[in-house]
Amino acid sequence: MKIKILFLVTLLSNLILSQNILKGIVKEQIDDQITKPLVGANVIWKGTTIGTTSDLVGKFELPFINESNTLIVSYIGFKSETLTISNQREIEVNLIPVTKELSDVEVIGSVPSTQIDYLGVENRSVLTNKELQKAACCTLAESFETNPSIDVSFTDAITGIRQIEMLGLSGIYTQTTMEALPYIRGLISNTGLSFVPGTWINAINVSKGVGSVANGYESITGQIDIDMQKPFGSETDKPLYLNFYGDNDQRLEGNLNYRYTLNENLSSITLVHASSRKRHTDINSDLFTDMPTFQTFNAMQRWQYHSGTGLESQLGFQFVSDDKDGGTINMNDISLPIYKFISKNKLLGIYGKTGYVFPDDNHHSFGLQWSYNYYDNSSSYGTKKYYGKEKNIYLNFIYQSDIFNESNLIRAGVSFVYDEINELFMNNIYDRIERVPGAFLEYTFKPSDDFSFVAGLRGDNHNQFGFLFTPRLHIRYSPHPDWVMRGAVGRGYRTSNIFTEYSSSFASSREVSILRSNNFGTGLNQESAWNYGLNLTYYFLYEYRDAALSFDFYRTDFDKATIADLDSNPQKIIFSSLSNSSYSNTFQAELNFEPFMFFNARLAYKFTDSKQFINNQWLQKSFTAKHRVLVNFAYKTEKEELNNQQMSYDITFQWFGKKRIPFTKDNPVGLRARETSPSFVLVNAQITRSFSELFDLYIGIENLLDFRQNDPIIDSENPNGQFFDASLIWGPITGRMVYAGLRFKI
């Protein structure tokens, strides 16, 4: 009886409280058309100080008071609205811009350079073009310097290849796509990040944890989706964009984006990139060039068709030619040993998308995605030779519709993946063909903005590894408009490509040993893992400006893993397939806020516990810092009224804790690496001068404090000896780098 009374009292209290709350949404109205919600609109009872502001989706809640029944809704640059509230409990307020009537009104504000998807079920953040311009961002590999979720480092001291890490694991476990099409995977997993110039990127969507089953089964720790520059631009976009870049290491780069409209339905964009470095440098005097010389040409052509009646289509292709040359630079002294690194890469990719949205029901649609990629790589690391060729075909058909009502949505489809891989390493042939037909079903339930979930099931039949079952679940719950909780769990699979994913080991005298489990390809089993994740985000206003505090915890558990053992023998790298032999736990706290107008701050801390079972013991994953702190400050001045000029200042501090280095105590004294690295700090800074909407000049410094790993190569004087090793890299190998560039919009 007491429980029933308590239930009735609680129900009655909630009913009374709900009746004393006015709910509403504030939107923008232009030419009688209601467009987007207004974020941060002021809502206040007239004659009082009681009020609130609209949230990230334009919504607000305000208690009724006895002192006033007149509501004032205002927003800078818009006409204020005064409303008399009588019996209403929910209202919609549409504000009209005043900029067309008052020539002296200027709207002051800014859009965050990194945006968190408030309503999305997945834990997703969007790095906009503004965020990418905070640093040099010459390629995708250099686009995450201000992002605390992704770590970027060099793989070795010779090749100049950068790798990323998410949730304590290598980027090979993160699915990297280009507008939902598979992109950086297979044999290009170690070089593909450099095949996307920063100027081609419109935005980067970074999702933590398992992704949608509609995109396949390969996502384990997250997904990076690259949103490229579109053939259809906005009315304010200029047709021609030019970017020129150079640094003190004589790296030169030029980029051209040219957008043009063929007719009202068909548009195109041409993207061209060319870069090179001809200078050899040896700051630490180890007889090896610190960074290889290179020459790259990269071009992409995209077409996009809009019928206006629901049919849309895209077609595009990309061609990349990339040559690198490194190693010893003592070519004039024939008495010294020679070690050469040479790599030649060719990529040709063709892709297309066709979709149809039914005119009478925009929740009912279907689409076809397809792509073909051909990649060719020929490399030599001293006496070690590698040749790899890959042909990939991808087909994905998706049908989407609501059922019963708009709160219930289903996506279903079928896919097919074909990989033909031919590899030759040290005269040994490793060929394989993978055929994987699959089907998926995904159900989205969203009864309100407070709660939603996405449940997906996927089944694929691999010609070697059999049936692959992929369940995934994402849940979002917002108990209050300022708080959002997200949870995700799911499984992922991937096939290892050890010769490209661990090519850094070739930059050493290590013998490659493979403990084969089968006769398919390299003889290793497919990897599979479960990922579990929780996210809690608090959205609030700091001095009337948007701010967000988020906490993440993710765990990745491998039931089958490919282990690269660098510890059992310093003269070997041993590959094997093991069960329940790897896991990773990560915790991250991040605060984004605006202490004062036009000044943005990002503070983040990440803890990583990533271990592998090697040589009968659990060891911390090598070269991964347990602790990392990132601080980013960005400040923009107000635009000058007469000439529209503006200054931007950006600085990023990164502190990395100690990292474990593979065991080398069996080497002779003097030819051993340290057991752990020291902690260190990296500082990057950039200043940008916008002379108008058409012209920017930027100058920056990377590694401002000039911190370096002084002895990155073991036994560099004897590169053909048994102890030579240039793969044990835990920190920067190049010193302070100064760069400058120009951006033109014509």
Side-chain angles (χ1 to χ4, degrees), residues 8 12 34 90 136 242 319 525 735:
L8 291 173
L12 182 60
I34 308 302
E90 293 188 10
L242 299 172
F319 172 76
N525 292 330

Side-chain angles (χ1 to χ4, degrees), residues 545-681:
R545 292 179 290 273
D546 290 327
L549 175 64
S550 65
F551 301 94
D552 295 332
F553 176 76
Y554 284 86
R555 177 177 176 85
T556 307
D557 238 329
F558 284 85
D559 47 11
K560 296 179 182 178
T562 296
I563 301 297
D565 180 2
L566 296 168
D567 292 272
S568 298
N569 187 332
Q571 275 73 59
K572 282 187 176 183
I573 177 170
I574 305 171
F575 293 101
S576 60
S577 296
L578 298 178
S579 299
N580 304 314
S581 57
S582 179
Y583 72 84
S584 179
N585 297 319
T586 61
F587 168 80
Q588 180 174 309
E590 180 179 351
L591 172 64
N592 289 275
F593 72 113
E594 194 174 350
F596 53 87
M597 188 68 73
F598 304 118
F599 183 90
N600 291 280
R602 178 177 302 132
L603 313 175
Y605 164 76
K606 182 167 64 177
F607 170 79
T608 302
D609 175 33
S610 184
K611 291 185 177 180
Q612 294 179 325
F613 194 72
I614 296 176
N615 201 16
N616 296 319
Q617 59 181 325
W618 286 99
L619 295 177
Q620 186 73 21
K621 186 173 177 292
S622 56
F623 310 120
T624 297
K626 269 194 172 183
H627 306 277
R628 180 193 176 201
V629 175
L630 181 142
V631 178
N632 173 258
F633 297 127
Y635 175 69
K636 280 190 176 183
T637 63
E638 293 188 42
K639 289 186 178 181
E640 299 177 12
E641 295 184 3
L642 295 178
N643 51 25
N644 212 24
Q645 295 187 7
Q646 188 177 34
M647 293 291 296
S648 300
Y649 305 90
D650 297 281
I651 187 166
T652 302
F653 302 87
Q654 295 186 76
W655 176 81
F656 295 88
K658 295 180 180 180
K659 304 178 182 181
R660 189 186 74 84
I661 300 172
F663 179 82
T664 57
K665 280 191 175 180
D666 288 345
N667 285 353
V669 175
L671 299 177
R672 301 171 182 171
R674 56 197 309 165
E675 294 184 12
T676 59
S677 74
S679 58
F680 59 93
V681 175

